[in-house]
Every structure is written in structure tokens, then in C-alpha cells.
Amino acid sequence: PAFSTSGSNFNLGVNFDLNVNLGLGDQSVVSATTNLTVFGTVSPGNLTQPPQIIKAAGVNVDSIYVNGPVGPLTLQGYLAFYQGNGTYGNGVKGHVQATFPMFAVEATVQFGNVHNFNYWYVDACVNFPVVPIAPSPFGFSGFGGGVYYNMTMSPNLPTNVTNFTQASDPDDNTAGSTVSGVTYQPSRGSAGVS
């Protein structure tokens, strides 16, 4: 069971996971999982009548996860929804990791609203086999970067810049965290490129 209040209303709900597997025959190709809560508004009733659900109060989607091979790539990702966060307000954060035969791409995005202003960021990185820069002992094996609006980037940059995919936990759906390990916080009037 789940409980919430909205003004003078008391909402009672049922929380459950929903799993969907798409595939051919017996083999699952892509799977998706979400966590849902369905709410109804409860009438307090009176002495002669038990409490009753008098109207639907809504559906709360906590998160959506996707995983599986799609053609030549393997896809893994999520969308996480947040409401009433003290720092980030209301919004959505998403992460995707796409692994191709020769390279991997990871990206994190977040959109939200707090204190009557909108904010967003996009943070991504690409890793691939080392490409030598001739004639030198140096090589090129990936790059990362991002853009942000009405947010500031944390001055605490990740310490491991040799492998961006190890800079943070890709399953971390905490608002503000990124694939590169950089953290963003809402700040009206700021923008930049990282």
C-alpha cells in the first residue's frame, strides 16, 4: 500500500512493478521495467459507513528501465521522475548506454523546474579502442562533454579521467549526478559547456 496527502484529501494507493519483455519466440530481445503507484482519494465516511474511495487521484510513475540488444547494439537505460526534491524540485533524469561493436556511448540528461525557473543539462561520453596519434606515443580513446542551462557545474571534477564510464555509477538515478562524474545544481541565469 501507498499513502499520500493533497490538501485535505487522503490518498490510498497500490504500488507495483510492471515488466514487459519484447521478443521473438522464446527469446527475449528487449525488456522494460517500471514502478507504478495508482492512487484513489478516500472519503473518511461516517459512523454508519466505512471509508470509500470516491475518485481516482492519479498514477505516479517512479522510474522506467530498458535493457536488451537492438540490432548491432546493446541498449541499457532508465528514466527517473522526481517530485518535491529540496534542491531539484520536479523533473526527470534519463541515462542511456549504447554499446556498438567498435565503441560505446553513454549520456545523461536532466530536465526540471525549481523556484519558478526551468533548468537542464546533457552530459555524454564516447569510448572506443585507442587511435594512435602518429608519430608519437600518444593515442585517442574517447571524449566527453556536456551543456547546461540554469545550472552550475560542481568544482569537484572526477579524478579518473582515463575512463569516463568508471567516473560514476551509471545506475545512479540521483538527481544532478552524471555519467562523467560531474554534478550539476540549479542556478538561475547560468549556462555553459563542459
Side-chain angles (χ1 to χ4, degrees):
F3 306 96
S4 75
T5 57
S6 175
S8 62
N9 292 330
F10 175 74
N11 299 322
L12 178 64
V14 176
N15 183 287
F16 58 94
D17 288 336
L18 177 64
N19 298 309
V20 177
N21 293 307
L22 302 175
L24 304 169
D26 292 338
Q27 185 177 12
S28 177
V29 177
V30 177
S31 64
T33 302
T34 186
N35 181 272
L36 300 170
T37 305
V38 179
F39 286 102
T41 300
V42 177
S43 167
N46 56 37
L47 294 176
T48 61
Q49 202 174 17
Q52 298 179 13
I53 295 179
I54 57 172
K55 67 177 182 174
V59 175
N60 182 20
V61 179
D62 177 67
S63 55
I64 300 170
Y65 290 85
V66 178
N67 186 16
V70 179
L73 69 100
T74 301
L75 187 65
Q76 181 178 355
Y78 65 81
L79 285 175
F81 303 91
Y82 53 94
Q83 295 180 4
N85 185 290
T87 303
Y88 297 95
N90 301 327
V92 61
K93 178 185 173 190
H95 175 84
V96 67
Q97 179 180 8
T99 305
F100 295 86
M102 292 298 294
F103 63 95
V105 178
E106 284 194 67
T108 305
V109 299
Q110 182 173 326
F111 301 91
N113 180 288
V114 65
H115 307 301
N116 297 317
F117 71 92
N118 296 322
Y119 62 84
W120 57 265
Y121 77 79
V122 177
D123 189 76
C125 67
V126 177
N127 286 308
F128 44 81
V130 175
V131 176
I133 300 173
S136 75
F138 301 104
F140 186 66
S141 65
F143 58 91
V147 294
Y148 53 96
Y149 175 73
N150 277 342
M151 299 192 91
T152 54
M153 186 172 61
S154 167
N156 300 325
L157 298 177
T159 56
N160 182 2
V161 295
T162 60
N163 187 348
F164 285 115
T165 60
Q166 293 178 358
S168 70
D169 179 5
D171 293 327
D172 181 6
N173 64 10
T174 305
S177 66
T178 67
V179 66
S180 67
V182 173
T183 302
Y184 294 96
Q185 288 195 340
S187 177
R188 185 189 300 262
S190 60
V193 176
S194 59

